[in-house]
Amino acid sequence: AVVSRRVRKQWYQRRVRGVLNYYTNYYYKSNLRMSWWKLVFLFSLCAGPLVTRAQEEDEIMDSDEEEELREAEPLDDGAPLEDTEIDPTLDEEDFVIKASPDAKVFYAFPKHADETMFPGGKVVKALIGFQNNGDSAFIVDNVEGGFRYPMDYNYVIQNFTSFRYGREVPPGVTQTFLYMFVPSEQLAGGSRTFSLVMSLNYRGEDGTLFTDSPFNETISVFEVDEGFDTEIFFMYVLLAALFALALFGAQYFLSSAFGVRKSGRKTFETGTDGGIDYDYIPKEHLKKQKVTKRE
C-alpha cells in the first residue's frame, strides 16, 4: 500500500511537471510572436508622425513663399494715365524704352542648376543684379516677368506678379533684387517650350525711363515628382498589418486544433519493467509486508 502510494505520487508529480512545461513553452512562444508584431506596430506608429511632420514643414515653407508673392505690390495701382502731347517729329524708335548704357543687369537662379527647366506649381527664386556704372543715380522701380509664345512675343501665356522696389542705386554701386514666380502646373509636361522674359524697369534722376531684360530664354516646365506619398505608405502598412493578423489567426487556429487532438489522447502508466526498487523503503516495513504475506 505504501509503495503504490509513492508510485501514484511520483506519477502525479510527473504529470504536473509535464503540464507546466507544456503551458510554459506555449506561453513563451506566443509572447515571442506577439512581441514581434508589437515592434512592427510601434515602428509604424513612430515613423508615421515623422514623415507627416516633414511633409507639413515643406508645405509651410511653400505657403510662406506664396504669401510673399501675394503681398507684393502690383505695378498697376489703378490711377488714370495723364494726357501727354506727342511731338509729330519723333520716330517710332523714339517711343521704345531701351536700356541705359550706364547700367548693367545680370541674373542667377540659386536653386536651379539647369536654367532651361523649372518645376510646375513650385516657387522659383531669381536674383537680379543691377550695377550702376554712370555718374548719376538710378531708381529701380520694379521687376516683372511672364511666359510668352516663342513664335510671337506679343502673345502672353502666363503673367507673373510684378515686384515693386523703388530703391535708389548710387553711382558705382551694385544691388541685388529678389524676384519670385510660380509656373502653372497646367503648363507642365510634354515637349512644349515657352519664352521666359524677366524685365527690370528703372529710371534716371531726370525721370527718363529705362528697361532691360536680364533673362530672355526658351525654357520648359516639368511635373514635380514628390517621390513619397504618406497616404499610400499608410495604406500599405495597413494591408501588411491585416495580412499579418490573418496569418497569426490561421496559425493560432491550426496550433490550437492540433493541440486539442494531441491532448485528447490518453496515456497509460505501465510502471517499471524490472520490478520495484526497495532500497529507499525501511526494512521494518519490508519485514511486516513479508509476515503478512506468510499469514
Side-chain angles (χ1 to χ4, degrees), residues 35 45 51 78 85 88 90 95 101 119 151 157 159 170 174 206 210 221 258 260 275:
S35 61
L45 290 178
V51 176
E85 295 182 359
L90 297 177
F95 292 98
M151 301 300 176
I157 298 175
N159 258 333
T174 301
D206 56 354
F210 301 98
V221 181
F258 286 111
V260 170

Side-chain angles (χ1 to χ4, degrees), residues 17 23 26 78 89 102 104 124 164 171 179 212 228 236 267:
R17 289 197 198 96
Y23 283 106
Y26 178 77
T89 59
D102 297 331
K104 181 181 179 181
V124 178
R164 178 173 293 181
Y179 182 70
D212 199 351
F228 187 83
Y236 283 125
T267 57

